[in-house]
Amino acid sequence: MALLEMRGLTKIYDQGKIEVPALRGIDLTVEKGEFTTIFGPSGSGKTTLLNLIGCLDRPTAGTIIFDGQELGGLDKKDLAIIRRHHVGFVFQSYNLIPVLTAYENVEFAIRLVNKYEKKEIRDRVMRILAAVGLAGLENRKPNELSGGQKQRVAIARALVKEPKLVLADEPSANLDSKTSEEVLQVMAKMNRELGTTFIFSTHDPLVMEYARRLIEIRDGQVAKDQRRE
Amino acid sequence: MLFLTRLAFKNLARHRNRTVITSIIIAFAVLSYILYDSLIGGMIEMSYATIIDYETGHLQVMTREYWEKETEEKELPLEHLFTLDEELEREIQEVEGFLAAAPELNFQARLGNGVDELPVIGKGIDPEAFGRVFALEDRFVEGSMFAPGENRAVLGKRLADLMDLAVGDYITLLVKDKDGSYNTIDAEIAGLVHTSNPNVNQNIVYLPLDIVEQGLNTPGEVSKVIIRLENKDLASKLAGELGGQLQGSAGNLAVYPWDEMEAVTFIGAAEIEKQLIFAIILLIGAIAVINTVILAALERMGEIGMMKALGLQNKEVVYAFVLESTGIGMIGGILGVLMGVGGVWPMVKYGVDFAGLVSMDLASFGLPILGRLYGVWNPAGFAWVFLFVVIVSSLSSILPAYWAANKDPVKTIYHR
Ligand SMILES: Nc1ncnc2c1ncn2[C@@H]1O[C@H](COP(=O)(O)OP(=O)(O)OP(=O)(O)O)[C@@H](O)[C@H]1O
Ligand SMILES: [Mg+2]
């Protein structure tokens, strides 16, 4: 069953006098449990597409159906609720909250979901931090972590609430290949065991290797879309 | 929500400099209000004392008609007097907290020095009883009080200066007696007084009660009996009690507390100034907080965008900011109140030499200050101003917080 259905998705950034077309008519269907990578040259519209899928931004035209729900009819508040419960984001710039420790940054995301007991929250946060290789660093503040460690906190934060959909914008950009591999394995495991849907944007061949579907975007349009088994 | 609360306090602790500076600005606003409030309170207390000690006493017994004529027509009628008999005297003395009572026979007169004439208020008094009710004794700048039966008078130094009079000079009071015929009372000046009460200083001439009775042809009658109590705050209640009692024994008499006297009403002006100071505090606090919230929001744009990506509602982002500002308001408020305690304490204990400060006779401007002005403690004022800055801090952060929360998360996350 489809988690996402996009039809004629168009995004035009209005820059005062000039209009920048970032996406021009994207048609895509993403099934539940897919492990997908979007690639393409810089400026082709990858980040823009992820933001639309993640209910963080609205298209200029076209429709997105997220898990059976048409997003166009929802207000900001409803979109926030979908993000809170069902979407995990990993951004290029990690955007951790500087006054919170690694542990608390991850805890924040799962607390918002509001469905776990105190002890369960603690277990889950510790487990996911260990899984991304941050055991022992839980109490460090972001300014006491390296770029790669911050990226891993951001990944843990996206995964901890076990959302239906994880969107990761260049997740391996700040990681060495060994750590990248570890993190990808954590995600692949979650994908296998929980059926979580993953969509990445990347230039990294390693990430593409893990993906079972490769979508190439050029000039805001789907240029190639191939699945492999 | 608990998590957001913790986040707010962590942000306060983390951005310590900003928290401290904003709190201090708020604290100084609070401090100035508290000091002002204490001084105004002291001034009001002094005004009350000035009126009570030299003019009104705590309670006044008089006929209802006299009260109406005096308050409404500004007259001192001689046809609505009463007799102070022993039974009435006993009833008055039985009032709770009674200290002393003194009769007064008041009249309008023209004061002459042989050349000029001035309208004045004459008061026939029993010097001994008067001394127990009023504080004039310590205010003689020349001479002293007269004894009963003497053809002698006491008046304000200011009035004497105006009329070019000194102790030992003779004055003439032109009066209309009870039957409406003109009469004069002649007296030698026994003493001159100077008080913080301008009315006493320039409008009143005191004479022995018996001399005045003769002059006005009102034997055995008085205008008022003035009562001094232990506690001025009980005056209203006791006026009601004594009034009720007199209803039975002396039906035409009524009792009025000092705070119903006309002389007291001007003091309300100080309250308006207080509102103004409140408004200034509001402005200072609000500007400090708005400025802080905007700076904090600008600095944390990416963070706010991320929190929204995590699914935080706008109002939750606002909540976190408002809470942070409330925290700043509380710190500033507590700091200000503590500084206020430190500032008010010496003012209460040692007072401020206001008169010395401006080296002028403030009494002639109607400011009831003679010597030092003492501050008063007003705990209710402390509580109010604290509550006030906390509320102002919270409210003034709402708008900038909404502005920050409404920013497009995509723009803030990617710094575009
Ligand atoms: N907020 C914005 N305002 C105006 N133009 C924008 C905005 N965001 C993106 N664009 C433009 O839209 C186009 C697509 O940008 P997008 O960030 O989606 O590309 P991308 O594929 O993620 O690139 P990269 O690989 O460099 O991250 C680009 O031309 C970009 O300049
Ligand atoms: Mg991008």
Side-chain angles (χ1 to χ4, degrees):
Chain A
M1 200 184 132
L3 179 70
L4 287 165
E5 279 187 58
M6 294 160 249
R7 294 287 164 261
L9 214 52
T10 305
K11 178 75 185 178
I12 298 168
Y13 288 107
D14 195 359
Q15 289 275 49
K17 287 211 172 68
I18 37 163
E19 293 188 333
V20 185
L23 297 178
R24 344 171 180 217
I26 300 246
D27 295 316
L28 267 180
T29 303
V30 178
E31 302 296 326
K32 277 185 184 157
E34 277 199 293
F35 206 79
T36 305
T37 282
I38 299 169
F39 68 101
S42 181
S44 56
K46 303 182 293 293
T47 300
T48 303
L49 182 58
L50 290 189
N51 289 339
L52 291 181
I53 294 172
C55 311
L56 206 53
D57 207 352
R58 288 173 184 279
T60 313
T63 56
I64 306 175
I65 298 172
F66 183 107
D67 205 16
Q69 183 150 37
E70 224 279 73
L71 297 183
L74 301 181
D75 62 16
K76 274 187 184 172
K77 207 177 135 197
D78 296 326
L79 293 177
I81 291 170
I82 293 181
R83 291 199 298 271
R84 173 185 295 223
H85 293 280
H86 305 307
V87 182
F89 280 102
V90 182
F91 294 105
Q92 256 169 300
S93 52
Y94 336 103
N95 286 302
L96 301 179
I97 297 171
V99 294
L100 301 181
T101 62
Y103 178 90
E104 289 164 336
N105 264 286
V106 177
E107 185 192 9
F108 195 0
I110 193 169
R111 282 239 182 197
L112 286 174
V113 178
N114 221 347
K115 76 176 184 200
Y116 300 107
E117 299 280 311
K118 231 178 165 171
K119 178 160 182 317
E120 169 113 46
I121 289 177
R122 189 168 172 79
D123 287 349
R124 281 174 183 267
V125 175
M126 293 307 274
R127 219 183 309 140
I128 196 74
L129 280 170
V132 297
L134 287 175
L137 301 181
E138 296 88 354
N139 292 322
R140 295 244 183 124
K141 295 261 175 73
N143 62 354
E144 300 159 343
L145 295 170
S146 72
Q149 288 167 335
K150 279 188 253 199
Q151 180 75 316
R152 281 182 276 169
V153 176
I155 291 167
R157 179 174 61 187
L159 302 184
V160 69
K161 63 188 176 190
E162 294 180 352
K164 287 182 182 160
L165 174 64
V166 174
L167 301 168
D169 202 0
E170 320 236 6
S172 62
N174 297 290
L175 303 178
D176 58 64
S177 56
K178 184 170 161 285
T179 322
S180 294
E181 184 105 42
E182 280 168 19
V183 166
L184 280 164
Q185 272 164 14
V186 173
M187 298 203 225
K189 185 166 171 245
M190 227 173 115
N191 171 256
R192 264 196 322 277
E193 292 175 359
L194 300 172
T196 309
T197 308
F198 284 82
I199 304 176
F200 301 97
S201 93
T202 197
H203 301 284
D204 183 353
L206 182 67
V207 177
M208 294 193 214
E209 219 172 89
Y210 268 81
R212 290 200 303 280
R213 182 178 177 187
L214 290 168
I215 299 167
E216 185 182 356
I217 293 204
R218 279 184 184 276
D219 294 331
Q221 283 174 318
V222 178
K224 217 189 268 173
D225 182 357
Q226 72 189 96
R227 284 192 168 80
R228 56 182 189 217
E229 289 315 315
Chain B
M1 277 305 189
L2 193 71
F3 199 86
L4 288 177
T5 308
R6 260 168 49 204
L7 180 62
F9 284 101
K10 281 189 173 148
N11 271 318
L12 275 183
R14 156 85 184 256
H15 304 281
R16 203 169 298 132
N17 285 348
R18 186 150 66 211
T19 305
V20 166
I21 288 171
T22 314
S23 306
I24 285 179
I25 293 172
I26 292 174
F28 270 99
V30 169
L31 174 68
S32 26
Y33 174 78
I34 287 178
L35 293 184
Y36 179 81
D37 185 46
S38 173
L39 279 182
I40 286 292
M43 214 177 290
I44 289 175
E45 278 302 311
M46 232 166 180
S47 313
Y48 288 163
T50 283
I51 292 166
I52 291 168
D53 290 349
Y54 301 114
E55 225 178 324
T56 64
H58 288 132
L59 299 180
Q60 299 194 351
V61 181
M62 66 189 99
T63 63
R64 260 176 257 286
E65 294 83 0
Y66 191 93
W67 167 261
E68 273 161 28
K69 286 261 181 198
E70 187 184 24
T71 50
E72 276 158 35
E73 287 162 43
K74 317 285 173 233
E75 280 178 22
L76 303 172
L78 296 177
E79 61 269 26
H80 301 300
L81 307 180
F82 65 100
T83 308
L84 178 61
D85 57 25
E86 271 174 35
E87 199 199 326
L88 181 56
E89 221 165 326
R90 209 193 53 247
E91 275 185 290
I92 287 174
Q93 282 170 15
E94 279 166 7
V95 170
E96 184 192 331
F98 171 90
L99 283 182
E104 237 176 38
L105 177 51
N106 299 338
F107 57 100
Q108 274 141 348
R110 298 191 72 81
L111 168 67
N113 59 0
V115 185
D116 298 317
E117 260 187 18
L118 262 186
V120 295
I121 293 167
K123 281 180 187 269
I125 58 167
D126 167 6
E128 206 205 328
F130 184 86
R132 275 182 269 125
V133 171
F134 292 107
L136 216 57
E137 198 62 39
D138 307 327
R139 294 292 165 223
F140 277 86
V141 287
E142 270 173 75
S144 60
M145 187 50 97
F146 44 73
E150 292 182 341
N151 258 319
R152 303 217 297 160
V154 165
L155 48 114
K157 175 88 168 77
R158 226 181 131 68
L159 177 59
D161 288 349
L162 226 57
M163 299 286 286
D164 223 359
L165 292 166
V167 170
D169 289 351
Y170 280 86
I171 56 170
T172 304
L173 289 169
L174 178 63
V175 299
K176 225 182 199 177
D177 72 11
K178 194 173 183 182
D179 311 317
S181 358
Y182 284 98
N183 196 0
T184 57
I185 302 174
D186 295 314
E188 181 196 350
I189 295 179
L192 300 177
V193 291
H194 184 66
T195 71
S196 55
N197 184 320
N199 207 19
V200 172
N201 293 348
Q202 51 200 30
N203 290 330
I204 297 178
V205 177
Y206 299 95
L207 293 153
L209 180 58
D210 39 10
I211 300 292
V212 175
E213 280 178 0
Q214 281 170 32
L216 299 179
N217 197 14
T218 58
E221 289 188 301
V222 298
S223 317
K224 300 172 172 181
V225 173
I226 312 236
I227 303 172
R228 187 165 193 94
L229 301 169
E230 280 169 6
N231 183 350
K232 78 175 191 313
D233 299 327
L234 293 180
S236 283
K237 174 182 152 253
L238 297 175
E241 282 178 21
L242 181 60
Q245 209 177 329
L246 294 181
Q247 199 91 59
S249 53
N252 60 333
L253 292 184
V255 185
Y256 303 94
W258 63 276
D259 51 2
E260 280 181 32
M261 308 289 161
E262 198 177 358
V264 178
T265 47
F266 81 93
I267 292 169
E271 284 298 317
I272 294 166
E273 281 176 43
K274 220 148 112 175
Q275 316 271 316
L276 198 80
I277 301 276
F278 243 87
I280 292 171
I281 294 186
L282 180 135
L283 210 68
I284 294 174
I287 289 172
V289 167
I290 289 172
N291 180 53
T292 305
V293 171
I294 289 175
L295 283 179
L298 282 175
E299 192 182 270
R300 287 185 226 151
M301 274 305 176
E303 212 178 299
I304 295 168
M306 184 62 220
M307 295 204 294
K308 288 179 72 176
L310 283 176
L312 228 61
Q313 307 277 359
N314 283 6
K315 61 169 194 264
E316 291 171 305
V317 175
V318 171
Y319 170 84
F321 273 101
V322 169
L323 212 68
E324 217 175 305
S325 311
T326 308
I328 290 180
M330 274 158 109
I331 296 172
I334 290 171
L335 214 64
V337 166
L338 288 180
M339 296 193 321
V341 170
V344 169
W345 183 78
M347 293 204 309
V348 171
K349 189 149 166 68
Y350 304 112
V352 183
D353 187 5
F354 240 92
L357 223 60
V358 292
S359 66
M360 269 188 291
D361 179 13
L362 294 168
S364 50
F365 291 102
L367 277 176
I369 302 169
L370 212 58
R372 305 186 80 82
L373 172 62
Y374 288 87
V376 294
W377 288 110
N378 181 11
F382 281 52
W384 270 119
V385 70
F386 175 77
L387 211 70
F388 188 71
V389 290
V390 172
I391 291 172
V392 166
S393 305
S394 318
L395 292 185
S396 51
S397 65
I398 290 178
L399 267 184
Y402 260 105
W403 164 78
N406 265 320
K407 290 260 165 181
D408 180 0
V410 173
K411 289 209 172 104
T412 58
I413 289 169
Y414 297 96
H415 306 288
R416 275 172 175 166

